[in-house]
Structure formats: C-alpha cells, structure tokens
Amino acid sequence: MAAKRGIDNTPSQEHMDHIVESVDRLLDPLREAWGAYCKNANLGTAGIMISSGYCGPKLNAVVGGP
C-alpha cells in the first residue's frame, strides 16, 4: 500500500530493533507453541501469517490510523 501511494515506509533503525526483538521474544515462541498445539490436537499443519510489521506515521495517516 505504501509503494502504491509513493510513501517511504522504511522503519528507522530503532524501529527495526524493536521489530526484531518482537519477533524473537513473541512471534517465534507463539508460532512454535501454536504448531505444537495443532500437532498434539491433530489439527494438521497450522501457521500464523504476519502480513505487516511496521506502519510509519505517513502511511498510518493515509489509512486512517490513530
């Protein structure tokens, strides 16, 4: 969406550090736990798909965010 609107939505280094920390501490453990649960409950291979990890102020304003 940002590219279509000509908006540079590149996170700063500080934001990138927080994104990496969130993936390491929250998302990866969540994916592992969900995968184990699905396997144990015979639900097949389930996944969690993240479609976005950052929405900068300009893009946020365009999409009507807070």
Side-chain angles (χ1 to χ4, degrees):
M1 179 177 289
K4 287 182 183 179
R5 298 175 186 250
I7 298 171
D8 179 8
N9 195 48
T10 306
S12 68
Q13 186 59 53
E14 181 181 6
H15 286 121
M16 198 65 207
D17 292 343
H18 288 293
I19 291 167
V20 170
E21 180 181 17
S22 295
V23 169
D24 289 345
R25 292 185 179 208
L26 177 67
L27 297 177
D28 282 347
L30 176 62
R31 285 180 186 178
E32 290 173 15
W34 181 245
Y37 173 81
C38 289
K39 182 178 180 180
N40 291 336
N42 294 315
L43 297 176
T45 303
I48 297 173
M49 187 172 106
I50 309 297
S51 63
S52 178
Y54 177 75
C55 184
K58 289 181 184 177
L59 182 58
N60 194 50
V62 169
V63 298

